[in-house]
């Protein structure tokens, strides 16, 4: 073989895999997002919250800096109380990472609610509109930057799987 052929073969052996991989990534993006290892459903597109989106009953509270398990409802009934107990159980079972999580009851209307061991807040109209696209009585995970990222069905919540998701997130997260 002459040196030009060797150069082209060597160049092709490095460039072609990158070109085929890039083409596959852009031409078939569903292949990369269909199978995930998380139990919760990704909120897509991610809902970002600001300080004005949630009005807390306790004015010292904030979403910044902690992971927040958030239960959204119009009024807190039996389903709500069970979900709040499940959230408390998840937080307790996180052991040393318990301090990285807070629980929030997000009331989507202006009803008054008092719950022990949980933050209570009211959603703004803008946030309400975005959360209404999901089934009622959903459980959301909000990251320390205020992004709503995962949704769980609170009616048949598997606590072990939620804990598994949180442990995986905490392992790789440097925030919160």
């Amino acid at each position: 073989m002459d040196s030009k052929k060797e150069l082209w073969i060597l160049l092709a052996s490095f460039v072609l895999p990158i070109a085929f991989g890039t083409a596959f990534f852009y031409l078939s993006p569903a292949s990369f997002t269909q199978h995930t290892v998380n139990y919760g459903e990704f909120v897509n597109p991610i809902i970002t919250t600001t300080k004005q989106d949630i009005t807390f009953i306790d004015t010292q509270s904030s979403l910044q800096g902690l992971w927040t398990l958030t239960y959204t409802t119009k009024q807190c009934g039996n389903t709500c109380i069970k979900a709040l107990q499940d959230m408390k159980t998840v937080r307790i079972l996180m052991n040393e990472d318990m301090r990285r999580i807070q629980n929030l009851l997000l009331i989507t209307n202006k009803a008054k609610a008092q719950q022990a061991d949980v933050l209570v807040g009211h959603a703004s109209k803008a946030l309400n509109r975005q959360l209404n696209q999901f089934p009622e009585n959903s459980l959301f995970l909000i990251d320390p930057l205020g992004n709503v990222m995962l949704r769980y069905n609170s009616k048949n919540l598997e606590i072990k799987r939620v804990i598994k998701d949180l442990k995986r997130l905490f392992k790789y997260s440097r925030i919160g």
Side-chain angles (χ1 to χ4, degrees), residues 12-25:
S13 67
F14 286 105
V15 172
L16 285 178
I18 294 171
F20 285 136
T22 304
F24 182 69
F25 179 78

Side-chain angles (χ1 to χ4, degrees), residues 136-175:
E136 194 173 333
N137 301 329
S138 290
L139 182 67
F140 293 99
L141 179 65
I142 302 175
D143 72 5
L145 301 175
N147 302 315
V148 180
M149 41 182 299
L150 287 175
R151 185 194 78 80
Y152 297 96
N153 184 356
S154 65
K155 291 180 182 159
N156 55 1
L157 188 68
E158 294 184 41
I159 293 174
K160 286 184 180 181
R161 288 188 170 184
V162 175
I163 291 171
K164 192 173 182 180
D165 279 354
L166 287 171
K167 286 191 179 201
R168 189 176 294 118
L169 278 169
F170 289 175
K171 180 179 178 183
Y172 296 111
S173 173
R174 302 236 186 258
I175 56 176

Side-chain angles (χ1 to χ4, degrees), residues 7 58 107 122 126 131 144 168:
L7 178 65
D58 176 17
I107 306 294
H122 294 289
L131 293 178
R168 189 176 294 118

Side-chain angles (χ1 to χ4, degrees), residues 74-92:
K74 292 180 181 173
Q75 197 167 10
C76 197
N78 291 337
T79 310
C80 171
I81 291 170
K82 183 194 177 303
L84 292 176
Q85 289 172 344
D86 288 345
M87 289 167 49
K88 184 178 178 181
T89 303
V90 166
R91 186 169 183 266
I92 289 170

